[in-house]
Amino acid sequence: MPSYTPYSVPVEITSEIFKQHLIQFFGDPSEADVLPLVDLARARDGGPLLLSHVCRAWRSIALNMPSLWSRVRVSSSETDPSDWQELLQCWLARAGTQLLDLDLTGGLDQNQTAHLFSTVAPYSLRWRSFQCYWTNPVSIPNDTDIIRGRIPSLCELRVWIKRDDVAPGKPEIPIITAFSDAPALRKVELSYLPPKSISLPWARLTHLDLYGQAMDQAIQALHQTPNLKQLSADLRSALGGVQPTPVVLGHVHDLSLSNVFGNVGKYLPNLTVPGIKTLHVYSIVYEGRSHAAALLSMLTRSHCTGVETISMHCIYNFAINVLAAPAMDKVRHVELQPAYWSTSTLAQFFTRLASDSGFLPNIRSIRIWNCGAGIPYTELANMLAARFYNRRADEGKLESFHLIRDSGEVDPIPSAEVEDQLRGLRSAGLDIHIKRLNKRKISYRDFDSDSA
């Protein structure tokens, strides 16, 4: 009869192994240390359910780790509701007294949503974050009012509806009141659900994302958010030509503007945001000058001179017009996702940085990612040297440069002189990280401590 060997790995180490398994199997690479949502559609392939069936010791440890069961996503629209409903009930029970993060946005039909909501509603006292995609918003109040006044821990809310449900001629969406009494609610995202159709503690919100919203309704909601610190806006024209009353957002320090093209001239004049520290802009239209002017006009009207970080997905002309403005003089960190940039325009950007000390005079870090243009190594090396060595005491000194190639034509091999120059800059303390497409085969090569 074989002898039984007791499980000898400390519980603390096994628990950490379990967490790392969840991160690797379900996690987002950009959030390497965050315990991810476990997707029930993959629960039998990995995660706490699989871990609890390995052996008696692992089962005991998994069942005594409520954090493993507290973050869950339901995303399968092909499974019979009774199957995942039973599994979800088991999951939530194993979370014990842990606060819950629930994501119900994965393509469920209305029948599945109703069954699912009836499963999670009894646990609403422990909801920390809740995400839901309603396929039939007309029926929302009847489904959700059972949680009104029973969500004391809810901090984050995301509600999505189909874009077609707010099209002209569609029935009016009844006001959702289930989330009106949520004392801890601070972060809200509304995708296509009109702000007028949901009752929220607007005055308490610090983070608000508005996607696909009519401009007049969105700005009317912003008038009710005196404590807002972070705003992400993707607005469209006002219905019926209604012009909203301009709003001053005195506490917003992080502003994201998505789809800055046709509507930019219509809604930016209605925003005054004097305290911006971080600015994210998405604009890939070909006419960069006029849209850059609309953005800069808003910054000027806001008397905004404190932008420290700017992130842009944009064409070259838009980037240059924005970055050259006086409002960008204090920018320390630039992140670019080039849209339709060529090797030539990338070289022009590097040359401008090398030759014009008044262009981004306080820049400390540059990150260029998802870059499809070939790397102009000579201009790059000259720029890095100019911004690292040739700086006056009142000018910023570049500390970090990251460039990540992910598509496009392969890069030429830089000359030995350029590689020596990059290696010397790294040795002197400049953080250089370059992922290029190798000329001989389509693969990545890193300029790290060994290769640059």
Side-chain angles (χ1 to χ4, degrees):
M1 184 173 182
S3 60
Y4 172 72
T5 302
Y7 186 73
S8 59
V9 179
V11 172
E12 294 79 10
I13 294 178
T14 305
S15 299
E16 185 59 32
I17 292 173
F18 287 1
K19 292 177 182 178
Q20 292 304 316
H21 165 71
L22 262 64
I23 290 170
Q24 293 296 318
F25 198 80
F26 297 101
D28 183 341
S30 65
E31 299 179 338
D33 298 324
V34 177
L35 203 61
L37 291 160
V38 174
D39 195 329
L40 290 190
R42 303 171 63 197
R44 290 178 172 84
D45 300 322
L49 189 65
L50 179 66
L51 295 173
S52 67
H53 284 76
V54 172
C55 65
R56 285 180 294 176
W58 278 30
R59 180 173 180 82
S60 175
I61 295 172
L63 294 181
N64 284 281
M65 285 186 65
S67 61
L68 295 181
W69 311 88
S70 64
R71 293 173 54 79
V72 60
R73 172 185 291 119
V74 180
S75 65
S76 175
S77 60
E78 300 177 357
T79 307
D80 186 277
S82 60
D83 292 341
W84 47 251
Q85 192 171 11
E86 182 178 350
L87 180 59
L88 182 58
Q89 287 174 333
C90 171
W91 217 273
L92 298 177
R94 290 178 177 180
T97 60
Q98 198 87 1
L99 293 180
L100 301 172
D101 298 304
L102 305 174
D103 181 352
L104 318 182
T105 59
L108 303 162
D109 62 34
Q110 188 60 31
N111 180 54
Q112 290 174 319
T113 301
H115 281 283
L116 185 60
F117 199 88
S118 67
T119 303
V120 300
Y123 298 88
S124 64
L125 291 172
R126 293 194 283 114
W127 290 5
R128 176 172 52 194
S129 68
F130 181 74
Q131 306 177 44
C132 193
Y133 179 79
W134 300 102
T135 55
N136 183 5
V138 174
S139 68
I140 290 177
N142 292 333
D143 290 334
T144 64
D145 278 354
I146 57 176
I147 67 170
R148 190 193 308 176
R150 301 184 68 254
I151 44 176
S153 300
L154 185 68
C155 299
E156 300 183 35
L157 173 67
R158 297 176 65 195
V159 182
W160 300 358
I161 65 171
K162 290 189 298 184
R163 182 175 183 173
D164 293 344
D165 287 327
V166 291
K170 290 288 185 177
E172 186 76 9
I173 298 175
I175 298 178
I176 303 169
T177 60
F179 303 99
S180 58
D181 185 9
L185 188 61
R186 297 294 182 269
K187 299 181 180 181
V188 170
E189 177 182 323
L190 302 179
S191 292
Y192 295 104
L193 178 69
K196 71 173 185 178
S197 298
I198 184 168
S199 178
L200 294 171
W202 296 101
R204 293 194 182 104
L205 301 186
T206 58
H207 296 67
L208 181 60
D209 294 349
L210 297 172
Y211 293 127
Q213 304 294 345
M215 178 178 63
D216 55 334
Q217 294 183 30
I219 293 180
Q220 183 178 353
L222 291 176
H223 278 282
Q224 306 175 59
T225 57
N227 294 306
L228 203 61
K229 296 179 181 179
Q230 183 172 315
L231 171 65
S232 180
D234 173 10
L235 310 184
R236 48 194 174 84
S237 300
L239 299 176
V242 178
Q243 290 301 313
T245 303
V247 61
V248 178
L249 301 171
H251 295 288
V252 169
H253 58 77
D254 190 315
L255 178 64
S256 297
L257 302 172
S258 302
N259 297 330
V260 180
F261 38 86
N263 293 319
V264 67
K266 298 178 181 178
Y267 73 82
L268 285 186
N270 295 288
L271 299 180
T272 299
V273 194
I276 299 175
K277 298 294 183 183
T278 301
L279 178 63
H280 311 269
V281 181
Y282 177 94
S283 176
I284 58 173
V285 293
Y286 286 95
E287 182 51 58
R289 186 180 301 275
S290 62
H291 299 296
L295 175 61
L296 294 172
S297 176
M298 182 203 68
L299 296 176
T300 301
R301 184 181 64 256
S302 300
H303 301 289
C304 179
T305 58
V307 179
E308 297 179 356
T309 300
I310 184 166
S311 172
M312 293 192 290
H313 180 195
C314 61
I315 62 170
Y316 176 75
N317 287 340
F318 185 94
I320 293 299
N321 279 288
V322 171
L323 295 177
M328 300 294 118
D329 283 353
K330 293 184 180 180
V331 166
R332 298 166 62 90
H333 311 286
V334 171
E335 181 174 299
L336 295 173
Q337 184 179 353
Y340 312 117
W341 288 37
S342 64
T343 301
S344 175
T345 52
L346 194 57
Q348 292 177 49
F349 177 64
F350 293 153
T351 300
R352 177 75 178 269
L353 282 166
S355 61
D356 184 355
S357 62
F359 179 63
L360 296 172
N362 288 294
I363 192 70
R364 297 294 198 277
S365 72
I366 301 171
R367 183 173 187 261
I368 303 173
W369 61 289
N370 285 358
C371 182
I375 302 172
Y377 284 105
T378 300
E379 291 82 1
L380 169 60
N382 291 339
M383 180 275 290
L384 294 177
R387 287 286 170 153
F388 185 74
Y389 293 122
N390 305 328
R391 306 300 288 168
R392 301 193 306 263
D394 61 338
E395 296 176 334
K397 179 179 179 179
L398 192 65
E399 300 169 355
S400 173
F401 177 83
H402 291 192
L403 189 153
I404 300 173
R405 292 289 317 281
D406 71 333
S407 62
E409 296 184 3
V410 295
D411 291 307
I413 300 298
S415 66
E417 181 181 356
V418 167
E419 291 213 24
D420 287 343
Q421 192 172 7
L422 293 173
R423 187 177 292 109
L425 286 162
R426 279 191 59 95
S427 297
L430 179 58
D431 173 22
I432 302 175
H433 180 65
I434 299 173
K435 281 192 173 180
R436 73 185 187 200
L437 294 176
N438 192 286
K439 184 176 182 179
R440 296 186 180 87
K441 59 181 180 178
I442 298 185
S443 62
Y444 288 116
R445 176 181 175 184
D446 295 346
F447 276 107
D448 53 24
S449 56
D450 296 323
S451 59

